[in-house]
Amino acid sequence: MTEARIDRRMVTILAIVFVNILGASMILPILTLYAINELGVPEQQAPLLQAAFFVAQFIASPFLGRLSDRFGRVPVLFWSQVGTVASFLMIAFAPTIGMVYASRILDGITGGNILVAQAYVIDITPREKRTQSLGLIFAVFGLGFIFGPSIGGALAALVGRQATFLIAALLTMVPTVMTYFMLTETMTAEQRQAARARGGQMSFGEMIKDRTIFSILLLTMFGSVGLGIVQTTFAIYGQNILFLGSDENTVNLGVGLMLGVVGLGQTITQVFLLRRLLRRFGDAPLVLGGTLIRTVAMTWYVVIGLPFVVALVGQAAVPITAIPAALMFAIGTGIMMPPLQSLVTFAAPDSARGAVVGLTSAAQSLGVIIGTLAAGPLLGITIAGRPSLAPYTFNAVMFLLLAIPALGLIRRFGAKPLQRISTATEPAAAVEH
């Protein structure tokens, strides 16, 4: 396998991920309003649409990863994208809210686009470059979320919501065609047969019982709990604290710009910072560093929401003071998640690579579900009737506690470039080949 061939396939898979995320994020700003305004869904039930997607993804992700081990990356990636196209078409022509729920569940079940793309990138990347290659996935993911929501909102205003869903479906067909015609399979027939014969060498139960894998799943899940809380509450935080007293359009614009800062910060982190930090500190220390930076970011959000701080800096300056917190949250996430996903592949046999990536994806989905469900009760915790800071206080404490399992990873892997470790089912001598 030549380096040029690896580069071509990397460019292709990154293009596929970008267009997928662009299409998926286009519908985010309009899906909830579509359900409320045109299908009559009560406002308090609208978040369940997103929950349905993540629940389905949580259930299906481990099995999609294992299927990609047994039958190849390309077929699973192709059919998962077909499912996404079908789900967008279902939304566009949905006569009832039941059809919209069915479309979100279908998209969640077949939503193995990213996890299979990650497994594909791991397959074609030398071990010493695995983390920075996974970082590129996060970079194009961030780019998609920078442009997708704004494009979706603009299209909805110009051509209507239904037409926007149709455009998203057509856009998502592009990477589907690219997958079919441009990607070559990374799993040989012998590897696929071996995975089917041995069940991937490692069952899901064995993976969870492995202390290293369990620690990584724990960090992934609770890191995603924090992300789910932020996603669910940030618009409210913006309205009640950052842009207090502003009109609705100003709040919407301001919150959108703040989220854009997060997406831009994450992309810059992956492109310019991650490789340099990896060379200096190694993967496991970056996981610890990321959790601590996220702790500082959440603490910063709490501090600038305190009444005496608002009075000190002035309400007009509060949004500016939030920019460092947004950047720190982006940097912390950007240097924490790719190393975690790389480390977990070093803790499982190569033949179970897709399965363990799928299990990690399931942990992410479960974390987002928990965070979304926890956000409401946390918002209900107030002091003297002031806007709630409980979601960000909770996140700060939780991220700080995650430093404990992160320290365990440093003890396990060391503060140096990744070295292959043995597992309970694979002797160390049999790992290198």
Side-chain angles (χ1 to χ4, degrees):
M1 184 183 300
T2 65
E3 189 69 23
R5 184 160 179 78
I6 292 175
D7 289 344
R8 285 199 297 271
R9 292 195 293 180
M10 178 66 78
V11 170
T12 302
I13 198 72
L14 291 176
I16 287 170
V17 171
F18 174 73
V19 180
N20 263 308
I21 296 302
L22 189 68
S25 62
M26 278 174 55
I27 74 169
L28 287 180
I30 61 175
L31 178 61
T32 300
L33 295 178
Y34 180 75
I36 293 171
N37 297 333
E38 299 188 29
L39 298 176
V41 176
E43 288 187 10
Q44 63 271 23
Q45 295 181 17
L48 294 177
L49 285 172
Q50 293 302 324
F53 171 86
F54 284 111
V55 169
Q57 190 175 64
F58 163 66
I59 294 171
S61 290
F63 300 101
L64 285 171
R66 177 141 287 173
L67 284 173
S68 76
D69 286 331
R70 297 181 178 182
F71 300 101
R73 311 294 187 216
V74 174
V76 176
L77 182 59
F78 173 77
W79 287 109
S80 68
Q81 291 176 113
V82 169
T84 297
V85 173
S87 72
F88 289 173
L89 292 174
M90 289 170 66
I91 295 175
F93 296 106
T96 64
I97 187 58
M99 180 70 79
V100 178
Y101 273 109
S103 74
R104 301 308 292 149
I105 292 171
L106 173 64
D107 197 13
I109 291 173
T110 62
N113 310 16
I114 303 303
L115 77 91
V116 179
Q118 289 169 336
Y120 191 100
V121 166
I122 291 167
D123 290 341
I124 65 174
T125 304
R127 291 174 178 173
E128 67 275 9
K129 296 182 179 179
R130 189 172 291 176
T131 301
Q132 63 194 64
S133 294
L134 287 170
L136 292 176
I137 295 282
F138 279 83
V140 297
F141 195 95
L143 282 175
F145 269 98
I146 290 172
F147 297 109
S150 57
I151 292 173
L155 284 174
L158 291 172
V159 298
R161 294 191 183 103
Q162 185 182 48
T164 302
F165 291 128
L166 290 174
I167 292 171
L170 290 172
L171 184 64
T172 309
M173 288 180 66
V174 174
T176 307
V177 174
M178 289 175 66
T179 300
Y180 188 85
F181 288 104
M182 297 179 66
L183 281 187
T184 55
E185 182 55 58
T186 59
M187 298 285 289
T188 66
E190 292 77 12
Q191 289 173 322
R192 298 195 298 269
Q193 180 59 38
R196 289 195 292 269
R198 294 194 296 268
Q201 289 189 341
M202 211 175 181
S203 69
F204 292 132
E206 289 172 328
M207 291 179 190
I208 293 172
K209 289 178 183 177
D210 182 281
R211 290 179 60 184
T212 302
I213 295 177
F214 182 77
S215 295
I216 293 172
L217 293 176
L218 195 71
L219 283 158
T220 300
M221 186 185 74
F222 282 103
S224 298
V225 168
L227 181 61
I229 289 173
V230 171
Q231 288 177 338
T232 306
T233 64
F234 192 74
I236 298 171
Y237 179 87
Q239 177 177 271
N240 294 340
I241 295 174
L242 297 183
F243 304 99
L244 181 64
S246 300
D247 59 72
E248 183 178 356
N249 288 336
T250 301
V251 172
N252 290 337
L253 176 61
V255 169
L257 289 174
M258 282 292 176
L259 293 176
V261 168
V262 174
L264 182 61
Q266 185 166 322
T267 301
I268 291 173
T269 299
Q270 305 305 328
V271 174
F272 297 107
L273 295 182
L274 184 60
R275 182 173 60 180
R276 293 174 174 84
L277 291 172
L278 281 170
R279 283 202 301 262
R280 183 167 182 178
F281 298 107
D283 292 78
L286 286 191
V287 175
L288 175 62
T291 63
L292 295 178
I293 292 172
R294 288 173 122 204
T295 301
V296 175
M298 292 297 104
T299 304
W300 193 298
Y301 278 129
V302 172
V303 169
I304 63 176
L306 296 173
F308 77 90
V309 175
V310 174
L312 181 65
V313 303
Q315 182 61 53
V318 170
I320 297 174
T321 64
I323 292 175
L327 288 173
M328 283 189 289
F329 185 69
I331 292 170
T333 301
I335 68 173
M336 173 186 177
M337 297 308 293
L340 271 180
Q341 294 194 334
S342 182
L343 287 170
V344 80
T345 66
F346 281 80
D350 285 345
S351 58
R353 190 179 289 160
V356 77
V357 171
L359 197 61
T360 306
S361 177
Q364 287 179 310
S365 297
L366 179 60
V368 172
I369 293 166
I370 294 172
T372 301
L373 295 176
L378 287 170
L379 283 170
I381 302 174
T382 60
I383 299 176
R386 292 195 294 267
S388 177
L389 295 171
Y392 299 90
T393 305
F394 176 87
N395 269 355
V397 174
M398 180 178 65
F399 289 153
L400 183 61
L401 291 175
L402 288 181
I404 298 172
L407 284 169
L409 291 183
I410 293 178
R411 287 195 295 269
R412 178 63 162 160
F413 290 98
K416 55 186 177 181
L418 285 174
Q419 299 293 324
R420 186 72 170 173
I421 67 169
S422 61
T423 70
T425 60
E426 185 179 31
V431 177
E432 297 294 349
H433 58 275

